[in-house]
Amino acid sequence: MSFGASDMAMSNPYGAQRPSFHLGKHETARDEPLTDLQYGYLLNQDMNFATTPVTNRRFRARVFKIVSDHLLLLGKNAEVSTSTETGSRADPIIPPLTPEETGLFPSPAVNTYTAYISPWIDLCSTNPLIASISRQVLNLEVNYANFCGVRSIVIAGPSRDDSRDGGNQALAQYSRAVQEALTIGSTLTFLIHMPMYREPVAGQAIETLSSLEPRREGAATANASKEVDLFAAWQSWHHVRSTCNYDLRLHVALQIPRVMPEKDLQNRWFAEPMHYLTVEPDVFQKNKGGYPSLSKHHQEMIFSYMRLKAVPWILLCDVGPDASNFQNDDMSVLSAVNRPPVTEDDFPSLSDAHSPAATSHPGPSFRAGADAHVAYLQWLENQQRPFTALESPTLTSFQDWLQSPLQPLSDNLESATYEVFEGDPVKYDQYEAALIEALSEWKELDLPTSKDGAVVIAVAGSGRGPLVTRALKAAEYTNVNVEVWAVEKNPNAYVYLLRQNQTLWGGKVNVVKTDMRAWKGPVVSHSSDTGPVHGKVDMLISELLGSFGDNELSPECLDGIQHVLAKPHGISIPHSYTAHMSPISTPKLYADILARSATEATAFSTPWVVRLYALDFVCQKVPGHARFQQAWEFSHPIPESTLQNVEARRSGGIMGGGGGSMAGAAGANDHNSRYCHVTFVCRAPGVTHGLAGYFESTLYESRLERSKGQKVEISTHPERIDQKSKDMISWFPIFFPLEKPISFPADTELEVSMWRQTDDTKVWYEWQVEAWTWVGQTSRIKVGSSGLCTSRKVACLM
């Protein structure tokens, strides 16, 4: 897939564009919604939104009293109340809300609110009474917020992660409660407030709040002494969203930690459906001037997350402008104030702030009364690198957007589709470079040509003619005489090619309307007895490559036209191409495909073309096992003996049945079937939703002895695209989905088997992923398998 140059241009008369920060405010202790004046105060402080509680302290007191009265009635004391006995008993029922127990009511502005579920409930409690009361409170508040017209609601994440201290039971209860709440709040977007990882002191800031089940004495110390499991919080989130079946209304509010973790964990959260980044007071550090700053690692993480298509909002928790004490007569703060621009000098980096030159720094120059944290974030917003051409609104809109692969042989493409293909100058620059090299070396080696005095070039599958134009330019640049033939099966594109020949190419091109596989070659003469006499071509040029290299039947098409290529010096551009793949975690795409599968039976059997962006490559590069591994290779022209074998099979001279041929097929296309088995190593626990596919192609490889091995190449390989074809956007990756994601523990090997299958009428893929983990030095066990996936029902027709 590619895009027009006009789409890539950033029309911005106001200077460089950058991602915008959308700032919000959350106060943990607040139990009443903001008044209109308080909300206006925050807006005047450059905040964009604020959270609101659903219920207040009166409701909390009533719930606590119900629990206390119930325990007294049962003759229980406080210690017994934390037991895990599950005997039959009638838990109390929370009565409906009263007007005194909530400040949230339907209003014109209520759909701008982000509600926050009462933080004093404990959905993870192993005490059935506490768990029941907490679930009731959750459902009551969700139901009421849904009624009022609130659009989104935040739920504090699970308080336990692993199997210790009843963690598995806690997660099961929590996940089931969220799943039930999704059903009740049918119009709400849900955000689970999760830490990026459990820092040793995380959670202590909210100890001042009452809780249905207070933390046992010494628990915080015990937790702090445990070794930090960086991926435990992510695994808890994965448990919740898996239980909720990847509901599209379920998102993450991710808490930024004080100390940034390793990149692998940051990348893992980058792939998740993130809606908020939350920042607490201890994340900020003070520079020499006493103003808030974020470390370089924090800044880099925020900058990368802001590149997502769905830009996360930043939620300041218990930090930033405080509207709590704002009184009705404080109208002065709502008046317009002239604001001097915030500059880099106002917020030096932490290292710059400690330099001798910074000792006399006067501090930031923002208006009196403005919040320093908001001013710092506004300054940080302007420190982001501007959008590049590859981050234009058009390209950004294609992030993680599923597209069905093209059927170039069975379908005739529209002009708009061709126009999109032609919009990538990098691809055509590389093709022109390959043509220049090929023509220059043909001239230097003084190779014989198929026509006296001219190198015969055929552009197979010409479309609207961009490669024809580049071939003429290369011939002019190298001062080589050429005869160009444009072969195209699309009758509509054929008309356009004829017009191009009249208006652009000056009649220099021979335009032929036919399927390239049926073309007999250039007409060199006519005979009244035998009809036209066909010759050969010296260079065969095509742009039939797909996202996986061969998925748009480039091998089959080029095999079918190879008979017109002169021997032994004939050149095919491209010369060869390889397919590469890597297992990935992409929950957003999986959720999208899962939703489609309700109405599309082939959703999980389709290899989707998609601009993968919010993803995590779950494996690591280790000796002997790369992160991206080659599946197979095709090269052109194929050996003459292979072509003879193909013709023999088609004529019935050889019985089919080998390679990839299916029952009843002659096996004429067996030489284009492929199989691979590769192993990827995953050091961290994770989940894979499918395989990302890429390709590399050698357009031309030098024939000269002095430049042996020099190549003109294009690539979508993430680790090599900048080296071979930087900024090329003609092809998006391909995604082979798994119907059931595979979750795996740390130190797992993912073994991938893939087949390219054919029955002489169509081509399809089959793939399988198995997860193995070592349980000893010489033994391992299978912990997951995708089963055999196949795209036969959506095969590419030959």
Side-chain angles (χ1 to χ4, degrees):
M1 192 66 182
S2 64
F3 298 89
S6 60
D7 291 330
M8 295 172 59
M10 299 289 291
S11 57
N12 178 23
Y14 305 106
Q17 291 184 341
R18 298 174 174 85
S20 298
F21 285 5
H22 201 76
L23 305 180
K25 179 65 188 295
H26 171 65
E27 296 176 26
T28 305
R30 173 171 288 279
D31 71 344
E32 293 284 353
L34 294 168
T35 66
D36 289 345
L37 285 176
Q38 289 173 331
Y39 193 54
Y41 170 75
L42 288 182
L43 294 178
N44 194 57
Q45 294 291 311
D46 295 320
M47 307 298 288
N48 303 107
F49 69 102
T51 63
T52 182
V54 180
T55 59
N56 57 31
R57 68 189 67 184
R58 296 182 185 88
F59 176 73
R60 184 177 66 199
R62 179 157 68 98
V63 173
F64 276 53
K65 187 176 187 304
I66 289 173
V67 174
S68 178
D69 290 347
H70 184 75
L71 293 176
L72 288 175
L73 182 64
L74 295 175
K76 304 288 186 177
N77 57 35
E79 291 185 3
V80 176
S81 70
T82 60
S83 72
T84 58
E85 60 180 90
T86 57
S88 176
R89 65 185 186 188
D91 291 329
I93 303 300
I94 305 298
L97 285 174
T98 66
E100 292 74 22
E101 293 172 340
T102 180
L104 183 66
F105 299 98
S107 69
V110 74
N111 60 6
T112 66
Y113 297 164
T114 295
Y116 205 105
I117 293 296
S118 294
W120 41 266
I121 64 174
D122 187 3
L123 297 169
C124 288
S125 177
T126 54
N127 184 327
L129 171 63
I130 301 301
S132 174
I133 295 296
S134 297
R135 191 167 58 252
Q136 289 184 58
V137 171
L138 171 66
N139 293 342
L140 185 150
E141 294 191 352
V142 166
N143 198 12
Y144 184 69
N146 190 68
F147 162 77
C148 289
V150 172
R151 289 187 176 179
S152 58
I153 195 163
V154 183
I155 305 175
S159 57
R160 298 175 179 84
D161 286 324
D162 53 29
S163 59
R164 301 176 186 175
D165 303 324
N168 286 346
Q169 176 186 346
L171 281 176
Q173 291 194 137
Y174 182 95
S175 302
R176 176 63 183 83
V178 173
Q179 192 276 337
E180 185 177 23
L182 280 162
T183 304
I184 295 172
S186 57
T187 64
L188 289 170
T189 296
F190 285 75
L191 295 93
I192 307 300
H193 197 176
M194 295 293 304
M196 184 173 280
Y197 69 97
R198 304 283 184 183
E199 294 184 278
V201 295
Q204 295 182 3
I206 62 172
E207 289 299 311
T208 57
L209 290 177
S210 301
S211 173
L212 279 175
E213 188 170 35
R215 186 186 296 269
R216 296 188 301 273
E217 185 176 354
T221 304
N223 289 336
S225 64
K226 293 178 182 177
E227 182 179 353
V228 176
D229 183 350
L230 286 179
F231 286 85
W234 174 83
Q235 288 177 301
S236 294
W237 155 250
H238 176 55
H239 187 288
V240 174
R241 61 98 175 278
S242 298
T243 301
C244 298
N245 204 27
Y246 286 77
D247 196 295
L248 292 172
R249 292 185 293 125
L250 190 63
H251 301 264
V252 174
L254 185 64
Q255 178 184 326
I256 298 177
R258 292 182 302 109
V259 180
M260 290 304 299
E262 60 189 40
K263 280 285 187 180
D264 284 347
L265 182 58
Q266 295 181 44
N267 294 338
R268 180 67 53 81
W269 284 110
F270 179 82
E272 300 298 339
M274 190 187 320
H275 193 23
Y276 288 172
L277 287 173
T278 70
V279 190
E280 296 188 348
D282 55 1
V283 176
F284 288 97
Q285 305 175 43
K286 289 187 177 181
N287 60 21
K288 188 70 171 181
Y291 298 102
S293 297
L294 293 174
S295 72
K296 179 180 179 182
H297 297 296
H298 285 89
Q299 294 178 33
E300 290 176 349
M301 186 271 294
I302 292 174
F303 291 168
S304 65
Y305 283 14
M306 288 295 162
R307 249 52 196 188
L308 290 164
K309 178 169 65 174
V311 179
W313 296 358
I314 297 177
L315 183 63
L316 298 175
C317 299
D318 300 320
V319 67
D322 185 6
S324 300
N325 298 322
F326 178 67
Q327 304 298 325
N328 289 350
D329 57 351
D330 292 338
M331 301 298 294
S332 59
V333 297
L334 296 179
S335 60
V337 181
N338 292 326
R339 308 179 187 180
V342 180
T343 66
E344 186 171 356
D345 293 335
D346 294 325
F347 292 100
S349 66
L350 295 178
S351 59
D352 293 340
H354 288 276
S355 65
T359 56
S360 59
H361 187 267
S365 57
F366 52 88
R367 73 184 192 281
D371 182 78
H373 297 87
V374 173
Y376 172 76
L377 289 173
Q378 289 174 333
W379 170 82
L380 193 63
E381 179 182 19
N382 291 322
Q383 304 313 301
Q384 301 174 99
R385 60 178 176 82
F387 286 126
T388 65
L390 298 183
E391 295 171 316
S392 68
T394 300
L395 281 177
T396 300
S397 69
F398 278 92
Q399 283 183 15
D400 302 312
W401 185 61
L402 299 168
Q403 302 172 76
S404 298
L406 294 174
Q407 290 272 10
L409 291 185
S410 59
D411 298 336
N412 287 322
L413 304 180
E414 301 293 331
S415 179
T417 305
Y418 286 121
E419 184 175 2
V420 166
F421 292 160
E422 296 163 11
D424 181 5
V426 176
K427 173 179 69 174
Y428 293 107
D429 286 349
Q430 291 297 94
Y431 265 95
E432 185 175 340
L435 281 163
I436 289 173
E437 288 297 314
L439 289 171
S440 298
E441 292 187 2
W442 195 289
K443 181 179 180 180
E444 182 174 344
L445 293 171
D446 195 24
L447 298 176
T449 60
S450 298
K451 181 178 181 179
D452 289 342
V455 176
V456 182
I457 298 176
V459 180
S462 300
R464 301 200 316 175
L467 282 182
V468 176
T469 301
R470 294 300 182 123
L472 294 173
K473 287 184 176 180
E476 182 180 359
Y477 181 85
T478 56
N479 197 27
V480 174
N481 291 327
V482 298
E483 178 181 282
V484 179
W485 291 76
V487 183
E488 176 56 49
K489 73 174 182 63
N490 187 338
N492 306 308
Y494 171 71
V495 176
Y496 189 86
L497 287 171
L498 292 175
R499 184 175 183 275
Q500 289 289 86
N501 198 26
Q502 293 173 349
T503 61
L504 181 64
W505 304 324
K508 300 176 183 177
V509 178
N510 303 282
V511 182
V512 180
K513 181 198 166 299
T514 184
D515 187 316
M516 68 179 72
R517 295 168 295 179
W519 188 46
K520 297 180 179 180
V523 176
V524 295
S525 64
H526 288 273
S527 170
S528 58
D529 297 329
T530 60
V533 177
H534 299 277
K536 300 293 185 179
V537 301
D538 301 312
M539 294 185 184
L540 188 60
I541 309 166
S542 68
E543 52 175 327
L544 306 172
L545 298 174
S547 296
F548 205 45
D550 55 83
N551 61 296
E552 293 185 9
L553 304 192
S554 177
E556 285 73 18
C557 292
L558 294 180
D559 287 354
I561 196 176
Q562 182 177 316
H563 64 277
V564 306
L565 193 61
K567 307 177 186 63
H569 303 299
I571 294 172
S572 173
I573 297 176
H575 167 68
S576 63
Y577 35 94
T578 53
H580 303 258
M581 60 183 171
S582 183
I584 62 172
S585 173
T586 175
K588 292 181 181 179
L589 277 185
Y590 179 78
D592 191 359
I593 297 174
L594 186 63
R596 285 172 179 247
S597 66
T599 55
E600 298 180 29
T602 58
F604 278 107
S605 58
T606 299
W608 297 96
V609 173
V610 55
R611 189 190 180 204
L612 296 170
Y613 195 81
L615 82 161
D616 176 35
F617 294 106
V618 296
C619 62
Q620 284 75 41
K621 183 178 181 181
V622 298
H625 299 285
R627 172 170 276 187
F628 303 91
Q629 297 194 38
Q630 181 175 319
W632 45 66
E633 180 178 13
F634 290 90
S635 61
H636 302 284
I638 60 175
E640 192 64 27
S641 59
T642 302
L643 275 183
Q644 294 172 357
N645 191 30
V646 168
E647 289 303 317
R649 289 190 177 222
R650 283 177 179 160
S651 63
I654 299 178
M655 295 298 294
S661 64
M662 299 290 102
N669 197 39
D670 277 5
H671 64 288
N672 284 325
S673 65
R674 294 288 190 274
Y675 166 72
C676 73
H677 183 88
V678 292
T679 301
F680 300 89
V681 176
C682 306
R683 290 174 174 166
V687 60
T688 180
H689 299 97
L691 305 169
Y694 307 89
F695 81 92
E696 292 191 294
S697 175
T698 297
L699 298 180
Y700 181 75
E701 184 171 2
S702 177
R703 298 181 174 194
L704 299 177
E705 192 64 36
R706 67 172 182 272
S707 54
K708 199 79 171 177
Q710 290 185 8
K711 303 175 182 179
V712 179
E713 299 175 281
I714 55 176
S715 173
T716 65
H717 190 299
E719 293 178 338
R720 298 198 280 260
I721 184 173
D722 286 351
Q723 173 190 349
K724 298 183 178 182
S725 50
K726 182 177 174 58
D727 295 339
M728 185 180 69
I729 58 172
S730 288
W731 291 274
F732 291 162
I734 198 167
F735 177 60
F736 298 91
L738 304 181
E739 189 166 0
K740 293 294 183 184
I742 300 177
S743 298
F744 51 84
D747 298 321
T748 291
E749 292 181 344
L750 295 179
E751 296 199 356
V752 178
S753 299
M754 182 171 277
W755 297 261
R756 188 183 196 264
Q757 297 281 43
T758 177
D759 65 357
D760 294 349
T761 64
K762 55 184 176 292
V763 172
W764 68 94
Y765 298 95
E766 294 174 355
W767 60 98
Q768 179 173 326
V769 181
E770 298 174 298
W772 296 81
T773 188
W774 291 94
V775 293
Q777 291 186 346
T778 59
S779 62
R780 60 179 190 163
I781 59 173
K782 185 188 293 187
V783 295
S785 175
S786 67
L788 185 63
C789 309
T790 177
S791 65
R792 187 170 188 176
K793 291 184 179 180
V794 290
C796 200
L797 302 177
M798 295 170 57

